[in-house]
Amino acid sequence: METPSLVRPLVPLTSAVALVYLVIGVALPVLPLHVKHELGLGGLEVGLVAGAPFAVAIVTRALAGRFADRRGPARGVAVGLVLTALSGGLYLFSLAFDDVTLALAALLLGRGLLGAGESFVMTGALARGVALAGPLRTGQVMAWIGTAVYAAMGLGAPV
């Protein structure tokens, strides 16, 4: 008996993951330059802005997993996409401030929302993918999702 293809059910999941990591990838080369040259801040602030989403992702990953288990992985992905969109809005909102402290605060809040959004999208996508594919194809699901991460990050940086 032939196993059904995973391509069709995983395309929406990998697309959601790719979208979030594209946002991460696009911002990575630009934000440090903005913080240093436009806001006139130093290495500590550059590091905080660059690392904030990753720190928040670590803290929110278990929460996102519980949410996906209780409310469903598709809802987790949806929450993550909303948080990611809000993060982009805060990036733009940070440009409206003449006060460097307020601009940095808005930027850090946006980066934090991005990290939380990443947690929800990644956890929901993996949980949904495993549910669709079954436990015997968990590795394939992880490979698809992982490929989406690196493809989007690699594409995002030069964009």
Side-chain angles (χ1 to χ4, degrees):
M1 180 166 102
E2 188 174 315
T3 58
S5 172
L6 285 177
V7 174
R8 182 170 281 145
L10 291 184
V11 164
L13 298 173
T14 56
S15 297
V17 170
L19 181 63
V20 170
Y21 279 90
L22 187 64
V23 169
I24 293 170
V26 165
L28 274 179
V30 175
L31 283 176
L33 297 173
H34 173 69
V35 172
K36 183 164 179 60
H37 298 295
E38 300 298 320
L39 298 180
L41 298 171
L44 174 65
E45 294 84 4
V46 168
L48 288 172
V49 168
F54 306 107
V56 171
I58 290 169
V59 172
T60 58
R61 191 70 66 158
L63 172 69
R66 281 191 303 278
F67 185 92
D69 287 345
R70 292 180 181 154
R71 306 280 309 265
R75 265 197 190 155
V77 171
V79 166
L81 290 173
V82 168
L83 291 172
T84 301
L86 290 172
S87 77
L90 279 167
Y91 288 7
L92 293 174
F93 185 61
S94 75
L95 298 173
F97 293 108
D98 290 330
D99 183 277
V100 173
T101 304
L102 291 175
L104 180 63
L107 197 54
L108 284 170
L109 182 57
R111 298 290 284 164
L113 286 177
L114 178 62
E118 183 276 339
S119 282
F120 277 82
V121 168
M122 180 62 80
T123 304
L126 285 169
R128 180 72 177 139
V130 169
L132 290 170
L136 296 178
R137 297 195 292 175
T138 299
Q140 290 178 47
V141 171
M142 292 179 358
W144 272 81
I145 299 294
T147 299
V149 168
Y150 288 100
M153 292 275 290
L155 179 64
V159 168

